[in-house]
């Protein structure tokens, strides 16, 4: 387990470094990354302490209170990468609409990441759901991502320092609303494989349809960064394969393949700058 954890930590740092390196405006990316990471710490650490729904494996090497440092450093890549996809889909979206799209994209990504991470022993939940991950846990990723994006897009200058605490508070508000408004009554127990798949397949088809309709594309640097991040979870699953989880994970590939295909077609037609 110690070897797996060290591999995940080092690989995650490589993903973050590549994500920053391929961006055209590294100074702005680093600034936003710091704000996203700070908000992630405020949100995650307070959620763990207040709700006790999940905990990280003690095998992580460096913690900030209850949260591994590497997890906080990888949050910017998750949020900012999803923001690039959302902006490719709707370049002139308002802050609120952009945040809503980022929330949807990150929820989709988290629905893949969470079960594989739990299967690999990176963290564990005290409640069940999709492959031992409660639905509200998956939604929590999107709630924070959407909230921090709305805050960063809406605030200017020194006021952007308010984005992390505001996003953390908004995450708590959305989690409580989702729990007390709906999820305490439904989707509370471990879902059967066909039910989990039945939730993912329509989402994947809808996501792919939006990518095709809007002709969304990413630059080569962003494609490399996302492919690198995805490969981490492919490796984790390959180290301890589970047929149901492999089939479940396969359902996520369609929108990403469509995005890659469109991006490569656009690059062949007229190359763009790295990470553009």
């Amino acid at each position: 387990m110690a070897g797996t954890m060290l591999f995940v930590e080092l690989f995650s740092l490589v993903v973050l470094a590549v994500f920053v390196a391929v961006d055209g405006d590294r100074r702005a990316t680093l600034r936003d990354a710091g704000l996203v990471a700070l908000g992630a710490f405020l949100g995650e650490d307070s959620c763990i302490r207040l709700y006790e729904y999940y905990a990280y494996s003690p095998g992580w090497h460096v913690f900030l209170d209850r949260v591994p440092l590497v997890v906080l450093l990888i949050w910017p890549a998750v949020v900012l990468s999803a923001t690039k996809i959302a902006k490719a889909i709707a370049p002139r979206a308002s802050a609120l609409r952009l945040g809503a799209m980022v929330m949807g994209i990150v929820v989709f990504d988290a629905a893949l990441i969470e079960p594989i991470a739990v299967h690999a022993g990176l963290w564990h939940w005290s409640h069940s759901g999709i492959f031992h991950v409660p639905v509200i846990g998956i939604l929590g990723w999107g709630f924070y991502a959407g909230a921090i994006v709305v805050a960063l897009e809406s605030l200017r200058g020194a006021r952007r320092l308010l984005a992390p605490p505001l996003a953390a508070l908004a995450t708590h508000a959305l989690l409580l609303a989702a729990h007390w408004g709906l999820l305490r009554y439904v989707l509370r127990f471990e879902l059967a494989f066909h039910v989990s798949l039945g939730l993912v397949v329509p989402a994947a088809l809808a996501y792919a349809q939006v990518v095709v309709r809007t002709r969304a594309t990413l630059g080569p640097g962003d494609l490399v960064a996302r492919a690198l991040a995805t490969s981490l979870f492919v490796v984790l699953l390959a180290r301890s394969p589970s047929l149901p989880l492999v089939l479940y994970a396969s359902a996520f590939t369609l929108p990403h393949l469509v995005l890659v295909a469109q991006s490569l077609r656009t690059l062949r037609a007229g190359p763009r700058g790295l990470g553009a």
Side-chain angles (χ1 to χ4, degrees), residues 66-85:
R66 303 291 182 88
V67 187
L69 177 61
V70 168
V71 171
L72 300 177
L73 295 179
I74 207 64
W75 261 108
V78 172
V79 173
L80 299 179
S81 176
T83 303
K84 289 189 175 186
I85 295 176

Side-chain angles (χ1 to χ4, degrees), residues 246-261:
V246 168
L247 294 175
Y248 171 83
S250 299
F252 288 82
T253 59
L254 180 61
H256 300 300
L257 291 176
V258 170
L259 182 60
V260 169

Side-chain angles (χ1 to χ4, degrees), residues 40-161:
F41 170 71
L42 295 175
E44 276 214 65
D45 200 62
S46 57
C47 281
I48 293 172
R49 285 187 168 276
L50 288 172
Y51 310 135
E52 298 182 343
Y53 259 46
Y54 70 102
Y56 285 94
S57 165
W60 295 89
H61 288 87
V62 181
F63 279 80
L64 291 182
D65 196 30
R66 303 291 182 88
V67 187
L69 177 61
V70 168
V71 171
L72 300 177
L73 295 179
I74 207 64
W75 261 108
V78 172
V79 173
L80 299 179
S81 176
T83 303
K84 289 189 175 186
I85 295 176
K87 287 183 175 181
I89 290 172
R92 291 177 293 277
S94 65
L96 193 59
R97 185 186 175 198
L98 186 68
M101 288 192 296
V102 169
M103 181 177 73
I105 292 169
V106 171
V107 165
F108 185 80
D109 289 343
L112 171 64
I113 294 170
E114 276 282 354
I116 295 177
V118 168
H119 180 70
L122 304 187
W123 56 82
H124 66 273
W125 291 85
S126 59
H127 292 67
S128 298
I130 298 175
F131 289 94
H132 312 300
V133 179
V135 173
I136 198 166
I138 294 171
L139 292 177
W141 286 60
F143 290 159
Y144 171 69
I148 192 68
V149 166
V150 170
L152 290 176
E153 292 288 321
S154 302
L155 300 173
R156 295 290 180 268
R159 292 182 178 179
R160 296 181 103 234
L161 294 174

Side-chain angles (χ1 to χ4, degrees), residues 227-249:
L228 192 61
T230 301
S231 67
L232 170 60
F233 296 95
V234 172
V235 171
L236 286 176
L237 189 53
R239 287 169 66 96
S240 180
S242 162
L243 181 57
L245 193 52
V246 168
L247 294 175
Y248 171 83

Side-chain angles (χ1 to χ4, degrees), residues 9 25 82 127 140 143 152 169 177 181 184-185 194 199 247 253 276:
E9 290 171 325
D25 190 349
H127 292 67
F143 290 159
L152 290 176
L169 289 173
R184 66 179 300 217
Y185 305 107
H194 69 276
L199 293 173
L247 294 175
T253 59

Side-chain angles (χ1 to χ4, degrees), residues 162-220:
L162 296 173
L166 288 175
L169 289 173
T171 301
H172 281 288
L174 291 167
L175 285 170
L176 291 171
H179 174 75
W180 291 102
L182 178 65
L183 292 178
R184 66 179 300 217
Y185 305 107
V186 300
L187 303 179
R188 294 182 57 200
F189 307 104
E190 189 68 12
L191 303 181
F193 169 71
H194 69 276
V195 175
S196 299
L197 201 61
L199 293 173
V200 170
V201 170
L205 291 173
Y207 188 177
Q209 192 273 334
V210 169
V211 171
V212 170
R213 178 171 53 81
T214 60
R215 300 180 181 178
T217 62
L218 293 177

